Amino acid sequence: MNRMSKGRTRRLLWGAGFTLTLVFVCAVTAFAANSITGAGSTWVYPLVAKWSSAYEAKTGIQVNYQSIGSGGGIAQIKAGTVAFGASDMPLTPDALKAAGLIQFPTAVAGEDLIYHLPGIGPEKLILSGPVVADIYLGKIKMWNDPAIRKLNPGLNLPNMYITVVHRSDGSGTTFTFCDYLSKMSPEWKEKVGESTSVAWPTGVGGKGNEGVAAFVQRITGSIGYVEYAYILENHLSDARLINRDGKIVSPTLQGFQDASAHVDWATAQDFYVILPDQPGSDTWPISGCTWQILRKNASKESNEEVMKFFLWGFQHGQDMARSISFGPLPPSTVQAIRAYWKSELGYSL
Amino acid sequence: MNGSDPAARIDIQSAPAERKAAPRTRRLAGDFLFHKAAVFAAFLAAAALFATVAAIAYDSRQAIETFGVWRFLKSSEWNPVTQTFGALSFIVGTLVSSAIAMILAVPLSFGTAVFITEIAPFWIKKPIAGAIELLAGIPSIVYGLWGLLVFAPVFAQIEPWVNQYLGAIPGIGLLFQGPPMGIGMLTAGIILAIMILPYISSIMRDVFLIVPSSLRESAYAMGCTTWEVAWHITLPYTRSAVVGGMFLGLGRALGETMAVTFVIGNSNTLSASLLMPSATIPSVLANEFTEATTKLYVSSLIYLGLVLIAVTLVVRFLAVLLIRHLQRGEGAST
Amino acid sequence: MTGVILRRRVTDVASKILMGVAAVIGVFFLLWILWTTLRFGIAGMHWDLFTKDTPPPGTDTFGLRNAFVGSLILLGLSLLIGVPVGLMAGTWLAEYGFKSRTANAVRFVNDIMLSAPSIEIGLFAYAIVVDPMGHFSAVAGSVALAVLMVPIIVRTSDEMLSLVGGDMREAAIALGAPKSVVITKVTWRAARAGILTGVLIGLARITGETAPLLFTVLNNQYYSTDVFRPMANIPVVIFQFALSPYANWQQMAWAAAFITVVFVLVLSVVARVFLGRVQAPK
């Protein structure tokens, strides 16, 4: 074999490959403008995913959403590494001001406890807030504990350990759940409190709503909490709860919207409202919302792209939302959001 | 060709006077640049270690200022709500899972290495050795995936037995009580053991082969059994490298992320039982890093990374030292 | 037979059995892992994996194209960064440093870096690329992967270049070649099979590395080749999909794991073949 030509050929190939890579890289960085990146809540992920694929089909703009948990959404928007952060835990007006952020709600939904018990199907198990708090505190350890049996006189509860599943990542779903538990159990409020990430007294941690659902699917005798769309999508066994009015309710879109009807969106500063444990006979006790967070000093272009996407969702995505049990915001709230954008950022759509 | 540059000397002597200036300067310039590029590259390769430690230490300073050293290491409270962070449960998780891995892997590696070098008929040696090497090539995420989706359900069937029999022993029984989840500290330890088995085993095999055959053969000639040769002759001779190999495996177990994150259960509290979920420093980094909401939280996580680096650095340093020690000794004696 | 001899015989037989069992255990787990990866991986294979992008949750479609392309880009960039640094450093060690104290110190440090936990390197890349840049990017991930790859290439280049016989070098010098030309045109060329082996082994090492990518590249549900932004990649996609409750996502996780394992095994086998070719003529 002729060594010279072999070496020559190889060098030419390297040079060509290198140049091609460079050209490739330069050419496609030009396409960067056609996409925006957001991150955060896994709660709202099914909704954003549905909206963004329809939005891309309509406008060609890609909304790349990474569901890394509300904690992640807050962290990343504070760091400015994403265009919008989604969090199911609203930031207080003080926290927003300190970090130079604004937030607005997206849609209302609910979360529920899911369980994996042999022979006990969906909506057969009835739980109450204090009992759930005690399970998650580790005080109730077995499924056939008297406290659970009292709520479920007809059920054949097995003599099995309860494997508690919670979130391992920073989660707004956790915030909503812990807020509910704090209201139901003074011991929980004192020992654990509520936030996107808490010091869980017991249990296994799953990553995202998906991780919790996956663990409960796999581990017999487990209990977990997930956003309702995940229950629908994966046919998980969900529990019925006793709400503030003492009625046993199932999670329904109507139940979530009833909770939302009891809060005044228009007057809440920075849309800071807390939805769990609202009154009403059909109200679902663990209802919640997701807020989208923007940076005030991000580029007008970037913020406008985000605003365009969500406004499109508010105006054209209502049926998509309802199909996965997300309650779309009423037009009055959407108007309030547009006014908020104008007053906080100086521009609006 | 030791240090001094015959190439440069010959250049000066061979180039004719009139053409000294332009071509030789050009060639020497290229040569000079190449040399400097090589020096720079070597510097980068060596500096990477120090740069890593420095960068991570720098980003931990807020947490170090807030929590100090001992308080951070002793506290098992990891509470993002109150912003108090302590490393103890993760340090314990890391050490315990690695300890389980070592307890399981070292005897298995030793057995495998001796089997391959002494016992196996020669037609089995290569395939088994190759198979064990393949284990090392499997990416850790596949271990995690397999561990969670295949091994954990199987192990969840075995765990009730463990809970019932081992858990009933007074005293150490506490280690084995808990619900049969299939995931937890023990599962993570087992998966880690499978992962580090090939590393320890292949180092052991390499050094066992270096043992001078005169030593082994004289022992056999005196009537020693295979076991006695392995235990009393081969092992003492290769002692430092074997310990080095163990440290190498330990370093790998301490720093393993993906396989552990899938199966350890992600619980930030300390529990006595090995069947309960737990967390290690790498697993908590993987789970919580992109979601740390405050600067102190991020800094505390990076501080955890610093603790991990300190531990693995010592372990790896010892590993390299001990393995090289034998190889240098070997060169001198043969 | 006296008691002592009987005891020694029994110990010998028992230990042989135990050690055989030990070896079998190792092989057993290997076969189990490979078998399940093969079984579920092949079951999850679809043509769509290569033509469509990752689907959102709750739909029943398949696709991994953006992840494959992203991973290839990451590997390519890592090679671009890692191979020159690794090769030049190995060259310095073999051709300029020889056995000097500095060179031995560099080799020692390099050996320590060989077994660095990848999550530490991920933190390092976060600190020096993601933090200053302000966002996640494929470049940050490539830096992390390159740092993981360099020690392997340094080590193999150093060893392979040292193996090249002195007579070829001396002949080149006698012809008047300056040192850099001797190295690039003669020594590198002579050791090229060994150097390539090192590159292949390095590549096998970084394929499938997930931890450093978690907080440098993040992920992207769309097809993107912008290296200054988050990019889809196979390991993080496997991580996300495996921990989910969706059947199609789990199947794709297995398929991706299967392809990764095959890729790594092929690289290792090719590297071994090259190594055989290098060592044979000696």
Coordinates of all heavy atoms in Angstrom, one line a residue, chain A residues 3 6-7 10-11 18 24-25 28-29 32 37 45 49 52-53 56 62-66 68 76 79-81 207 210-211 213-214 217-218 230 233-234, chain C residues 55-58 73 77 80 126 130 134-136 185 189 192 218-230 239-240 242-247 249-250:
Chain A
R3 N 2.1 4.5 1.2 CA 1.9 5.2 2.4 C 1.6 6.6 2.2 O 0.8 7.2 2.9 CB 3.1 5.0 3.3 CG 3.0 3.8 4.1 CD 3.8 4.0 5.4 NE 3.5 2.9 6.3 CZ 4.1 2.6 7.4 NH1 5.2 3.3 7.7 NH2 3.8 1.7 8.2
K6 N -2.0 7.3 1.3 CA -3.0 6.9 2.4 C -3.0 8.0 3.4 O -4.1 8.4 3.9 CB -2.5 5.6 3.0 CG -3.5 4.9 3.8 CD -3.1 3.5 4.2 CE -3.9 3.0 5.3 NZ -3.2 2.0 6.1
G7 N -1.8 8.6 3.7 CA -1.8 9.6 4.7 C -2.4 10.9 4.2 O -3.2 11.6 4.9
R10 N -6.1 10.5 4.3 CA -6.6 10.7 5.6 C -6.7 12.1 6.1 O -7.7 12.6 6.7 CB -5.8 9.8 6.6 CG -6.5 9.7 7.9 CD -5.7 8.7 8.8 NE -5.8 7.4 8.3 CZ -4.9 6.4 8.5 NH1 -3.9 6.7 9.3 NH2 -5.1 5.2 8.0
R11 N -5.6 12.9 5.7 CA -5.6 14.3 6.1 C -6.7 15.0 5.5 O -7.4 15.9 6.1 CB -4.2 14.9 5.8 CG -3.4 15.1 7.0 CD -2.0 15.7 6.6 NE -1.2 14.7 5.9 CZ -0.4 15.1 4.9 NH1 -0.3 16.3 4.5 NH2 0.3 14.1 4.3
F18 N -13.7 18.2 9.5 CA -13.6 19.3 10.4 C -14.4 20.5 9.9 O -15.2 21.2 10.6 CB -12.1 19.7 10.6 CG -11.9 20.7 11.7 CD1 -12.2 20.3 13.1 CD2 -11.5 21.9 11.5 CE1 -12.0 21.2 14.1 CE2 -11.2 22.8 12.5 CZ -11.5 22.5 13.8
F24 N -21.6 23.1 9.6 CA -22.9 22.6 10.2 C -23.3 23.4 11.4 O -24.4 23.9 11.6 CB -22.6 21.2 10.6 CG -23.9 20.3 10.7 CD1 -25.0 20.5 9.9 CD2 -23.9 19.3 11.6 CE1 -26.1 19.8 10.0 CE2 -25.0 18.5 11.7 CZ -26.1 18.7 11.0
V25 N -22.3 23.5 12.4 CA -22.5 24.2 13.6 C -22.9 25.6 13.4 O -23.9 26.1 14.0 CB -21.3 24.1 14.5 CG1 -21.3 25.1 15.6 CG2 -21.1 22.7 15.1
V28 N -26.5 26.0 11.8 CA -27.7 25.7 12.5 C -27.9 26.6 13.7 O -29.0 26.7 14.3 CB -27.8 24.2 13.0 CG1 -28.2 23.4 11.8 CG2 -26.5 23.8 13.6
T29 N -26.8 27.3 14.2 CA -27.0 28.2 15.3 C -27.9 29.3 14.8 O -28.5 30.0 15.6 CB -25.7 28.8 15.8 OG1 -24.9 29.3 14.7 CG2 -24.9 27.7 16.5
A32 N -31.5 29.2 15.9 CA -31.8 29.2 17.3 C -33.0 30.1 17.6 O -33.7 29.8 18.6 CB -30.6 29.8 18.1
T37 N -37.0 28.0 25.4 CA -36.9 27.0 26.4 C -37.5 27.3 27.7 O -37.3 28.4 28.2 CB -35.4 26.7 26.6 OG1 -34.8 26.4 25.4 CG2 -35.3 25.4 27.5
Y45 N -46.8 19.7 33.0 CA -46.1 19.2 31.8 C -47.1 18.6 30.7 O -47.0 18.9 29.5 CB -45.1 18.2 32.2 CG -44.2 17.6 31.1 CD1 -43.9 18.3 30.0 CD2 -43.8 16.3 31.1 CE1 -43.1 17.8 28.9 CE2 -43.0 15.7 30.1 CZ -42.7 16.5 29.0 OH -41.9 15.9 28.1
A49 N -47.1 20.2 27.1 CA -46.8 19.3 26.0 C -47.8 19.3 24.9 O -47.5 19.4 23.7 CB -46.5 17.9 26.5
S52 N -47.9 22.8 23.3 CA -46.7 23.2 22.5 C -46.7 22.4 21.2 O -46.2 22.9 20.1 CB -45.4 23.0 23.2 OG -45.1 21.6 23.4
S53 N -47.2 21.1 21.2 CA -47.1 20.4 19.9 C -48.2 21.0 18.9 O -47.9 21.1 17.7 CB -47.3 18.9 20.0 OG -48.5 18.6 20.5
E56 N -46.7 24.3 17.7 CA -45.6 24.2 16.7 C -46.2 23.9 15.3 O -45.8 24.4 14.3 CB -44.7 23.0 17.1 CG -43.3 23.2 16.4 CD -42.7 21.8 16.0 OE1 -43.3 20.8 16.4 OE2 -41.7 21.9 15.3
Q62 N -41.0 26.3 18.3 CA -40.8 25.2 19.2 C -40.7 25.7 20.6 O -39.9 26.6 20.9 CB -39.6 24.4 18.9 CG -39.6 23.7 17.5 CD -38.3 23.0 17.3 OE1 -37.3 23.2 18.0 NE2 -38.3 22.2 16.3
V63 N -41.6 25.2 21.4 CA -41.5 25.5 22.9 C -40.9 24.3 23.6 O -41.6 23.3 23.8 CB -42.8 25.9 23.5 CG1 -42.7 26.1 24.9 CG2 -43.4 27.1 22.7
N64 N -39.6 24.3 23.9 CA -38.9 23.2 24.5 C -39.1 23.3 26.0 O -38.6 24.2 26.6 CB -37.5 23.2 24.1 CG -36.6 22.2 24.8 OD1 -37.2 21.2 25.3 ND2 -35.4 22.4 24.9
Y65 N -39.9 22.3 26.5 CA -40.2 22.4 28.0 C -39.6 21.2 28.6 O -39.9 20.1 28.3 CB -41.7 22.4 28.2 CG -42.1 22.6 29.6 CD1 -42.0 23.8 30.3 CD2 -42.5 21.4 30.4 CE1 -42.3 23.9 31.6 CE2 -42.8 21.6 31.7 CZ -42.7 22.8 32.3 OH -43.0 22.9 33.7
Q66 N -38.7 21.4 29.6 CA -38.1 20.3 30.4 C -38.8 20.2 31.7 O -38.8 21.2 32.5 CB -36.6 20.6 30.6 CG -35.8 20.5 29.3 CD -36.0 19.1 28.6 OE1 -36.0 18.1 29.2 NE2 -36.3 19.2 27.3
I68 N -38.6 19.4 35.0 CA -37.6 19.0 36.0 C -38.1 19.3 37.4 O -37.3 19.3 38.4 CB -36.3 19.7 35.8 CG1 -36.5 21.3 35.7 CG2 -35.6 19.3 34.5 CD1 -35.2 22.0 35.6
Q76 N -34.0 27.8 37.7 CA -33.5 28.1 36.3 C -33.9 29.5 35.9 O -33.2 30.2 35.2 CB -34.0 27.1 35.3 CG -33.5 25.7 35.6 CD -32.0 25.6 35.9 OE1 -31.2 26.3 35.2 NE2 -31.6 24.9 37.0
A79 N -31.8 32.0 37.6 CA -30.5 32.0 37.0 C -30.5 32.5 35.6 O -29.5 32.8 35.0 CB -29.9 30.6 37.0
G80 N -31.7 32.7 35.0 CA -31.8 33.2 33.6 C -31.4 32.2 32.6 O -31.2 32.5 31.4
T81 N -31.4 30.9 32.9 CA -31.0 29.9 31.9 C -32.1 29.4 31.0 O -31.9 28.7 30.1 CB -30.4 28.6 32.6 OG1 -31.3 28.2 33.5 CG2 -29.0 29.0 33.2
K207 N -38.7 10.6 41.0 CA -38.4 11.9 40.3 C -39.5 12.3 39.4 O -39.9 11.6 38.5 CB -37.1 11.6 39.4 CG -36.4 12.9 39.1 CD -35.0 12.5 38.6 CE -34.2 13.7 38.1 NZ -34.4 14.9 38.8
E210 N -44.0 11.6 37.2 CA -43.8 10.4 36.5 C -43.1 9.3 37.4 O -43.5 8.2 37.4 CB -42.9 10.5 35.3 CG -43.3 11.6 34.3 CD -42.7 13.0 34.5 OE1 -42.2 13.2 35.6 OE2 -42.8 13.8 33.6
G211 N -42.1 9.8 38.1 CA -41.4 8.8 39.0 C -42.3 8.3 40.1 O -42.2 7.1 40.4
A213 N -45.6 8.0 40.0 CA -46.5 7.1 39.4 C -45.9 5.8 39.1 O -46.4 4.7 39.3 CB -47.1 7.7 38.1
A214 N -44.6 5.8 38.6 CA -43.9 4.6 38.2 C -43.7 3.7 39.5 O -43.9 2.5 39.4 CB -42.6 4.9 37.6
Q217 N -46.9 2.1 40.7 CA -47.3 1.1 39.8 C -46.5 -0.2 40.1 O -47.0 -1.3 39.9 CB -46.9 1.4 38.3 CG -48.0 2.0 37.5 CD -47.4 2.3 36.1 OE1 -46.3 2.3 35.8 NE2 -48.3 2.6 35.2
R218 N -45.2 -0.1 40.5 CA -44.4 -1.2 40.7 C -44.4 -1.8 42.1 O -44.1 -3.0 42.2 CB -42.9 -0.9 40.4 CG -42.7 -0.7 38.9 CD -41.3 -0.6 38.6 NE -41.2 0.1 37.3 CZ -40.6 1.3 37.1 NH1 -40.1 1.9 38.1 NH2 -40.6 1.8 35.9
Y230 N -51.9 12.6 35.4 CA -51.1 11.3 35.4 C -52.0 10.1 35.8 O -51.7 9.0 35.3 CB -49.9 11.5 36.4 CG -48.9 12.4 35.8 CD1 -49.0 13.8 36.1 CD2 -47.8 12.0 35.1 CE1 -48.1 14.7 35.6 CE2 -46.9 12.9 34.6 CZ -47.0 14.2 34.8 OH -46.1 15.1 34.3
E233 N -53.9 9.3 32.6 CA -53.1 8.7 31.5 C -52.6 7.3 31.8 O -52.4 6.5 30.9 CB -51.8 9.6 31.3 CG -52.0 10.6 30.3 CD -50.8 11.6 30.3 OE1 -49.9 11.4 31.1 OE2 -50.9 12.6 29.6
N234 N -52.5 7.0 33.1 CA -51.9 5.7 33.4 C -52.8 4.8 34.1 O -52.4 3.7 34.6 CB -50.6 5.9 34.3 CG -49.6 6.7 33.6 OD1 -49.0 6.2 32.6 ND2 -49.4 7.9 33.9
Chain C
P55 N -41.4 11.7 21.6 CA -42.8 12.1 21.7 C -43.1 12.7 23.1 O -42.5 12.3 24.1 CB -43.6 10.8 21.5 CG -42.7 9.7 22.0 CD -41.3 10.2 21.7
P56 N -44.1 13.5 23.2 CA -44.5 14.0 24.5 C -45.2 12.9 25.3 O -45.6 11.9 24.7 CB -45.5 15.2 24.2 CG -46.0 14.9 22.8 CD -44.9 14.1 22.1
P57 N -45.4 13.1 26.6 CA -46.0 12.0 27.4 C -47.4 11.8 27.0 O -48.1 12.7 26.5 CB -45.9 12.5 28.8 CG -45.8 14.0 28.7 CD -45.1 14.3 27.4
G58 N -47.9 10.6 27.2 CA -49.3 10.4 27.0 C -49.7 10.1 25.6 O -50.8 9.8 25.2
I73 N -23.5 14.3 18.0 CA -22.8 15.7 18.0 C -22.0 15.8 19.3 O -20.9 16.3 19.2 CB -23.9 16.8 18.0 CG1 -24.6 16.8 16.6 CG2 -23.3 18.1 18.2 CD1 -25.6 17.8 16.4
L77 N -18.0 16.5 19.3 CA -17.4 17.6 19.9 C -16.4 17.2 20.9 O -15.3 17.8 21.1 CB -18.4 18.5 20.6 CG -19.1 19.5 19.7 CD1 -20.1 20.3 20.6 CD2 -18.1 20.5 19.1
L80 N -13.3 16.2 19.3 CA -12.6 17.4 18.8 C -11.8 18.1 19.9 O -10.7 18.6 19.7 CB -13.7 18.4 18.3 CG -13.3 19.2 17.1 CD1 -13.1 18.3 15.9 CD2 -14.5 20.2 16.8
Y126 N -20.1 22.4 35.0 CA -21.1 23.4 35.3 C -20.5 24.7 35.8 O -20.8 25.8 35.4 CB -22.0 22.8 36.5 CG -23.1 23.7 36.9 CD1 -24.3 23.8 36.2 CD2 -22.9 24.6 38.0 CE1 -25.3 24.7 36.6 CE2 -23.9 25.5 38.3 CZ -25.1 25.5 37.6 OH -26.1 26.4 38.0
V130 N -21.3 26.3 32.3 CA -22.7 26.6 32.3 C -22.9 27.9 33.1 O -23.6 28.8 32.7 CB -23.5 25.5 33.0 CG1 -25.0 25.9 33.1 CG2 -23.4 24.2 32.2
G134 N -24.4 31.1 31.4 CA -25.8 31.4 31.8 C -26.8 30.4 31.4 O -28.0 30.6 31.8
H135 N -26.5 29.5 30.6 CA -27.5 28.4 30.3 C -26.8 27.1 29.9 O -25.6 27.1 29.7 CB -28.4 28.9 29.1 CG -27.6 29.3 27.9 ND1 -27.5 30.7 27.6 CD2 -27.0 28.7 27.0 CE1 -26.7 30.7 26.5 NE2 -26.5 29.5 26.1
F136 N -27.6 26.1 29.9 CA -27.1 24.8 29.5 C -26.8 24.7 28.0 O -27.4 25.4 27.2 CB -28.2 23.7 29.9 CG -28.5 23.7 31.3 CD1 -29.8 24.2 31.7 CD2 -27.6 23.2 32.2 CE1 -30.1 24.2 33.0 CE2 -28.0 23.2 33.6 CZ -29.2 23.7 34.0
K185 N 5.5 12.9 11.5 CA 5.5 12.1 10.3 C 6.0 10.7 10.6 O 5.7 9.8 9.8 CB 6.4 12.8 9.3 CG 5.8 14.1 8.7 CD 6.0 14.0 7.2 CE 5.0 14.9 6.5 NZ 5.2 16.3 6.7
R189 N 2.8 8.2 13.0 CA 2.4 7.2 12.0 C 2.6 5.8 12.4 O 1.8 4.9 12.2 CB 3.0 7.6 10.7 CG 2.3 7.0 9.5 CD 2.9 7.5 8.2 NE 2.3 8.9 7.9 CZ 2.7 9.6 6.9 NH1 3.6 9.2 6.1 NH2 2.1 10.7 6.7
R192 N 0.1 4.7 15.0 CA -1.3 5.1 14.8 C -2.3 4.1 15.2 O -3.4 4.4 15.7 CB -1.5 5.5 13.4 CG -1.5 4.4 12.4 CD -1.8 5.0 11.0 NE -1.7 4.0 9.9 CZ -0.6 3.6 9.3 NH1 0.6 4.1 9.7 NH2 -0.6 2.6 8.4
L218 N -28.6 19.2 29.8 CA -30.0 19.1 30.1 C -30.6 18.2 29.0 O -30.2 17.1 28.8 CB -30.6 20.5 30.1 CG -31.9 20.6 31.0 CD1 -31.6 20.4 32.4 CD2 -32.5 22.0 30.8
N219 N -31.6 18.6 28.4 CA -32.3 17.8 27.4 C -33.1 18.7 26.5 O -33.3 19.8 26.8 CB -33.2 16.7 28.1 CG -33.5 15.6 27.2 OD1 -33.1 15.5 26.1 ND2 -34.3 14.7 27.7
N220 N -33.7 18.1 25.4 CA -34.5 18.9 24.5 C -35.5 18.0 23.8 O -35.1 17.0 23.3 CB -33.6 19.6 23.5 CG -34.3 20.6 22.7 OD1 -35.5 20.5 22.4 ND2 -33.5 21.6 22.2
Q221 N -36.8 18.3 23.9 CA -37.7 17.3 23.4 C -37.8 17.5 21.8 O -38.4 16.7 21.2 CB -39.1 17.5 24.0 CG -39.8 18.7 23.5 CD -40.6 19.4 24.6 OE1 -40.0 19.8 25.6 NE2 -41.8 19.7 24.4
Y222 N -37.1 18.5 21.3 CA -37.2 18.7 19.9 C -35.8 18.4 19.3 O -34.8 18.3 19.9 CB -37.5 20.2 19.6 CG -38.9 20.5 19.9 CD1 -39.2 21.4 21.0 CD2 -40.0 20.0 19.2 CE1 -40.5 21.7 21.3 CE2 -41.3 20.3 19.5 CZ -41.5 21.1 20.6 OH -42.8 21.4 20.9
Y223 N -35.8 18.4 17.9 CA -34.6 18.2 17.2 C -33.9 19.5 17.1 O -34.4 20.5 16.7 CB -35.0 17.7 15.8 CG -33.8 17.5 14.9 CD1 -33.2 16.2 14.9 CD2 -33.3 18.4 14.1 CE1 -32.2 15.9 14.0 CE2 -32.2 18.2 13.3 CZ -31.6 16.9 13.3 OH -30.6 16.6 12.4
S224 N -32.6 19.5 17.6 CA -31.9 20.8 17.6 C -30.4 20.4 17.4 O -29.9 19.5 17.9 CB -32.1 21.5 18.9 OG -31.0 22.4 19.1
T225 N -29.7 21.2 16.6 CA -28.3 21.0 16.4 C -27.5 22.2 16.9 O -26.4 22.4 16.6 CB -27.9 20.7 14.9 OG1 -28.6 21.7 14.1 CG2 -28.3 19.3 14.5
D226 N -28.2 23.1 17.7 CA -27.6 24.3 18.2 C -26.7 23.9 19.4 O -27.2 23.5 20.4 CB -28.6 25.3 18.6 CG -28.1 26.6 19.1 OD1 -26.8 26.7 19.2 OD2 -28.8 27.5 19.4
V227 N -25.4 24.0 19.2 CA -24.5 23.5 20.3 C -24.4 24.4 21.5 O -23.9 24.1 22.5 CB -23.1 23.2 19.8 CG1 -23.1 22.1 18.8 CG2 -22.4 24.4 19.3
F228 N -25.0 25.6 21.4 CA -24.9 26.5 22.5 C -26.2 26.5 23.3 O -26.5 27.4 24.1 CB -24.6 27.9 22.0 CG -23.3 28.0 21.4 CD1 -23.2 28.1 20.0 CD2 -22.1 27.9 22.1 CE1 -21.9 28.1 19.4 CE2 -20.9 28.0 21.5 CZ -20.8 28.1 20.2
R229 N -27.1 25.5 23.1 CA -28.3 25.4 23.8 C -28.5 23.9 24.2 O -27.7 23.1 23.8 CB -29.5 25.7 22.8 CG -29.5 27.1 22.3 CD -30.3 28.0 23.2 NE -29.8 29.4 23.1 CZ -29.9 30.3 24.1 NH1 -30.5 29.9 25.2 NH2 -29.5 31.5 23.9
P230 N -29.5 23.7 25.1 CA -29.7 22.3 25.5 C -29.9 21.4 24.3 O -30.5 21.8 23.3 CB -30.9 22.3 26.4 CG -31.0 23.7 26.8 CD -30.4 24.6 25.8
F239 N -32.7 8.1 31.1 CA -33.0 8.4 32.5 C -34.4 8.8 32.7 O -35.2 8.4 33.5 CB -32.0 9.5 32.9 CG -32.1 9.8 34.4 CD1 -32.1 8.9 35.4 CD2 -32.1 11.2 34.8 CE1 -32.1 9.2 36.7 CE2 -32.1 11.5 36.1 CZ -32.1 10.5 37.1
Q240 N -34.8 9.8 31.8 CA -36.2 10.3 31.9 C -37.2 9.3 31.6 O -38.2 9.1 32.4 CB -36.3 11.5 31.0 CG -37.6 12.3 31.1 CD -37.8 13.3 30.0 OE1 -37.0 13.3 29.0 NE2 -38.8 14.1 30.1
A242 N -37.0 6.0 31.6 CA -37.1 4.8 32.4 C -37.9 5.0 33.7 O -38.5 4.1 34.2 CB -35.7 4.3 32.8
L243 N -37.8 6.2 34.2 CA -38.4 6.5 35.5 C -39.9 6.9 35.3 O -40.5 7.4 36.3 CB -37.7 7.6 36.2 CG -36.3 7.2 36.7 CD1 -35.6 8.4 37.3 CD2 -36.4 6.2 37.8
S244 N -40.4 6.8 34.1 CA -41.8 7.2 33.9 C -42.7 6.1 33.9 O -42.3 4.9 33.8 CB -41.8 7.9 32.5 OG -41.8 6.9 31.5
P245 N -44.0 6.3 34.0 CA -45.0 5.2 34.0 C -45.5 4.9 32.6 O -46.4 4.1 32.5 CB -46.1 5.8 34.9 CG -46.1 7.3 34.7 CD -44.6 7.6 34.4
Y246 N -45.0 5.6 31.6 CA -45.6 5.3 30.2 C -44.9 4.2 29.5 O -43.7 4.1 29.5 CB -45.4 6.6 29.4 CG -45.8 7.8 30.1 CD1 -44.9 8.8 30.4 CD2 -47.2 8.1 30.4 CE1 -45.3 10.0 31.1 CE2 -47.6 9.2 31.1 CZ -46.6 10.2 31.4 OH -47.0 11.3 32.1
A247 N -45.8 3.3 29.0 CA -45.2 2.0 28.4 C -44.3 2.3 27.2 O -43.3 1.7 27.1 CB -46.4 1.1 28.0
W249 N -42.6 5.0 26.5 CA -41.3 5.6 27.0 C -40.4 4.5 27.5 O -39.2 4.6 27.3 CB -41.6 6.7 28.0 CG -41.9 8.0 27.5 CD1 -42.3 8.3 26.2 CD2 -41.9 9.3 28.1 NE1 -42.5 9.6 26.0 CE2 -42.2 10.2 27.2 CE3 -41.5 9.6 29.4 CZ2 -42.2 11.6 27.6 CZ3 -41.5 11.0 29.8 CH2 -41.9 11.9 28.8
Q250 N -41.0 3.6 28.3 CA -40.1 2.6 28.9 C -39.5 1.7 27.8 O -38.3 1.3 27.9 CB -40.9 1.7 29.9 CG -41.1 2.4 31.2 CD -41.9 1.6 32.1 OE1 -42.1 0.4 32.0 NE2 -42.4 2.3 33.2

